[in-house]
Amino acid sequence: MKTAEMIEKEAKEVLASLPETLTPKDRAAIPHMDMPQQDPKERINNMSEVALGYTEDEALVEAQRCLQCKNKPCVSGCPVGIDIPGFIKKITEKDYKGALSVIQESSLLPSICGRVCPQESQCQMHCTVGKMKKNVDEAVGIGRLERFVADREAESAMLPEIAPETGKKVAVVGSGPASIACAADVRRHGHSVTVFEALHKMGGVLSYGIPEFRLPKHLVDTELEKLEKMGIKFERNVLVGRTRTIKELMEEDGYDAVFVGTGAGLPKFMHIPGEDLVSVFSANEYLTRSNLMKAYDRKDSMTPIFKSTNVAVFGGGNVAMDAARTALRLGAERVDIIYRRSRDEMPARKEEIEHAVEEGCNLRLLSQPVEIIGDENGIVKGVVIRKCELGEPDASGRRSPVEIPGSDYTEPYDTVIVAIGNASNPLIKKTTPEIETNKRGNFIVNPDTCETSMKGVYAGGDIVLGAATVILAMGQGRKAAAAICSYLEGNE
């Protein structure tokens, strides 16, 4: 692994060698800049951010790799439509405030999206440079450049212009990425916006789901402060669907429209023997205790968390990586990620898998947990694992795992974390039967407007998509906001 000093030295050498006028061929030949990061041996002992971000020199080198394509293929891969070549060109001109201004035309969360969005499967997948080199890893580091601009110009971020007050009221349920994006865009049009959050802290999955070492929480707080300065109101500890229903918000509290962005907060389990043992956690609970309640701070936190030595994590997505890496930082000596397919089929970001392996997590692949075994005190003492082989591709395009009869074996563990996905929050549906859902409990919406089957009620994010990405949720929030504003203005 290259050190931060090695990467910075490389950047300076590249900058010094660049001709004054760059041809597309020159740009394509510029080497991709690695992201400096903490040494794995050090970072497993702290909760500080792993990726350290680009220096100015590194960002300038990476920005010069952009071909400034006239058809802007990268923009088609961005769910919120950021003018990517536009902000990167500003970086090459060292106009960092201008770069941030371009980004903020489409997104108010650049410091967050630059860190957690899967650019390799979205904007960077369409990058011409990556296609020329036949490797998405060689695409322009769009997310890293977005993060650089957001971090560098954090103090100069401008609030969007707010239209004159309209007298219309909009309720936004939940405070995750979809809700934040929707609230911001609706407020820009001059409508009054109140965000209702069930927990004591705003941010949704950004606050309770993503670990500090991937997304520092002060960044989330800073972005939310912007919304407050825009005049958006926050109501904490309000469980819509229980404290207040959607109907009550509209008929009694006078809200003209409602956006629901309550996410997919109902953890899924495997329904195998032993899942009710004491030291079996859903990834939701495990990460919430650590992230939101700071259980990792054993001296000052009053939230307990089970002290683990040998941990098994079921699953292969980003949440599984987050849970496994958190367990290491909480003192586990061994962490195995048990996944029923091969590494190529793992849905987690490539970078997250690499970071987990660097830090010492073990990938136990082509393995299916079939039973959790407990001791006389009801605490996990082992997992029965069945070997698998890959069969034909399933509907997602990944090859299906096929269990191998007679291949069972038992591994000792004292903790199990189940990270196999989440279902949509069912609470609002129970108290609002007018909203149609599919068999998985996801709200059914008009794909063009995000309106539900209930007049004036819109929804987006994981409550509609299932477990999706931050930027996809934001894209739905923006689409819903446009439809809400049109509806409030009398345009169906």
Side-chain angles (χ1 to χ4, degrees):
M1 186 183 78
K2 294 180 182 178
T3 65
E5 291 76 16
M6 292 167 63
I7 297 171
E8 176 65 3
K9 180 182 177 183
E10 180 183 347
K12 289 184 180 299
E13 290 173 349
V14 172
L15 284 177
S17 68
L18 293 179
E20 285 190 21
T21 303
L22 291 168
T23 67
K25 186 176 180 181
D26 293 331
R27 294 183 187 280
I30 297 172
H32 175 58
M33 282 284 100
D34 291 325
M35 173 77 84
Q37 61 186 41
Q38 279 197 75
D39 183 275
K41 293 179 181 178
E42 295 177 2
R43 69 191 192 221
I44 61 171
N45 296 310
N46 64 64
M47 296 298 287
S48 300
E49 193 169 10
V50 168
L52 302 178
Y54 279 153
T55 64
E56 182 178 19
D57 288 342
E58 291 156 6
L60 286 170
V61 170
E62 192 63 26
Q64 294 288 4
R65 299 179 69 237
C66 178
L67 301 180
Q68 293 294 313
C69 305
K70 289 184 179 179
N71 61 343
K72 303 181 180 182
C74 51
V75 177
S76 67
C78 176
V80 296
I82 294 172
D83 180 2
I84 294 166
F87 93 78
I88 292 179
K89 190 172 190 303
K90 293 288 187 182
I91 294 176
T92 65
E93 298 166 353
K94 298 188 179 181
D95 180 6
Y96 306 122
K97 287 185 175 64
L100 181 60
S101 178
V102 172
I103 295 170
Q104 288 190 313
E105 290 173 7
S106 303
S107 171
L108 288 180
L109 306 177
S111 62
I112 293 172
C113 293
R115 287 169 163 82
V116 303
C117 286
Q119 291 92 5
E120 68 277 4
S121 62
Q122 295 178 157
C123 55
Q124 290 174 200
M125 185 175 69
H126 298 272
C127 175
T128 304
V129 175
K131 288 183 176 180
M132 288 170 60
K133 301 198 174 188
K134 299 180 180 180
N135 183 355
V136 71
D137 293 341
E138 290 294 321
V140 176
I142 297 168
R144 294 173 176 181
L145 291 173
E146 181 181 15
R147 168 186 167 160
F148 165 77
V149 169
D151 289 358
R152 183 182 177 91
E153 298 301 323
E155 297 301 320
S156 63
M158 298 293 291
L159 295 178
E161 187 176 336
I162 309 296
E165 297 293 336
T166 65
K168 300 290 186 179
K169 293 172 57 180
V170 177
V172 174
V173 184
S175 63
S179 296
I180 290 172
C182 181
D185 278 7
V186 170
R187 180 63 189 138
R188 288 183 191 191
H189 283 75
H191 308 307
S192 173
V193 179
T194 302
V195 178
F196 295 95
E197 169 57 51
L199 297 176
H200 64 281
K201 189 173 180 61
M202 292 286 173
V205 69
L206 302 174
S207 292
Y208 68 75
I210 303 176
E212 185 80 14
F213 54 81
R214 276 217 297 138
L215 178 62
K217 298 301 167 272
H218 72 86
L219 296 175
V220 180
D221 294 339
T222 298
E223 302 294 7
L224 290 169
E225 286 170 7
K226 292 179 190 175
L227 299 187
E228 286 191 300
K229 291 176 181 177
M230 290 170 62
I232 295 171
K233 301 170 187 174
F234 290 121
E235 294 285 344
R236 296 165 176 79
N237 302 309
V238 179
L239 184 58
V240 174
R242 182 79 61 173
T243 310
R244 300 295 284 166
T245 66
I246 297 291
K247 273 188 175 182
E248 288 170 340
L249 288 174
M250 300 183 81
E251 295 176 3
E252 298 179 17
D253 298 342
Y255 286 96
D256 300 287
V258 176
F259 175 80
V260 181
T262 51
L266 185 66
K268 294 180 181 178
F269 286 90
M270 297 184 66
H271 306 293
I272 60 176
E275 278 190 312
D276 58 349
L277 290 168
V278 171
S279 51
V280 177
F281 300 90
S282 70
N284 278 35
E285 178 187 353
Y286 194 81
L287 290 172
T288 297
R289 283 180 179 272
S290 178
N291 300 332
L292 186 64
M293 303 174 186
K294 302 193 181 335
Y296 61 81
D297 186 355
R298 295 185 184 276
K299 290 184 179 179
D300 295 326
S301 175
M302 296 180 68
T303 300
I305 197 161
F306 189 80
K307 185 170 174 55
S308 307
T309 302
N310 297 309
V311 179
V313 178
F314 298 169
N318 287 326
V319 175
M321 301 305 124
D322 287 345
R325 298 171 67 195
T326 296
L328 281 176
R329 287 161 172 78
L330 291 176
E333 295 177 6
R334 176 172 66 110
V335 177
D336 290 353
I337 299 169
I338 303 175
Y339 182 60
R340 58 184 183 160
R341 292 181 169 95
S342 74
R343 181 166 176 168
D344 290 339
E345 281 78 31
M346 294 182 91
R349 294 183 69 187
K350 180 180 177 182
E351 181 179 76
E352 300 308 321
I353 299 171
E354 290 173 349
H355 282 172
V357 172
E358 286 174 357
E359 291 169 5
C361 295
N362 307 302
L363 302 182
R364 194 175 286 275
L365 304 170
L366 294 170
S367 301
Q368 174 81 344
V370 294
E371 182 180 358
I372 305 169
I373 302 170
D375 63 16
E376 62 278 6
N377 297 313
I379 297 174
V380 172
K381 72 173 184 179
V383 175
V384 179
I385 299 171
R386 185 169 297 159
K387 294 181 181 179
C388 299
E389 58 187 2
L390 293 179
E392 295 301 315
D394 63 12
S396 69
R398 294 180 297 166
R399 294 176 65 188
S400 300
V402 178
E403 296 180 5
I404 301 174
S407 63
D408 293 10
Y409 64 100
T410 302
E411 278 288 323
Y413 300 105
D414 55 42
T415 305
V416 167
I417 304 171
V418 183
I420 60 170
N422 299 297
S424 297
N425 190 320
L427 188 58
I428 289 178
K429 172 60 180 175
K430 288 180 179 178
T431 57
T432 317
E434 294 88 345
I435 296 178
E436 292 182 9
T437 59
N438 62 22
K439 62 181 181 181
R440 295 184 299 276
N442 303 122
F443 284 18
I444 297 172
V445 301
N446 181 316
D448 297 321
T449 64
C450 289
E451 187 173 20
T452 70
S453 54
M454 187 176 178
K455 190 70 173 176
V457 179
Y458 300 76
D462 290 359
I463 191 70
V464 173
L465 301 170
T469 63
V470 168
I471 195 70
L472 281 174
M474 288 176 61
Q476 282 210 312
R478 296 204 72 200
K479 184 185 292 185
I484 289 170
C485 292
S486 181
Y487 169 68
L488 295 179
E489 291 158 12
N491 303 314
E492 294 297 331

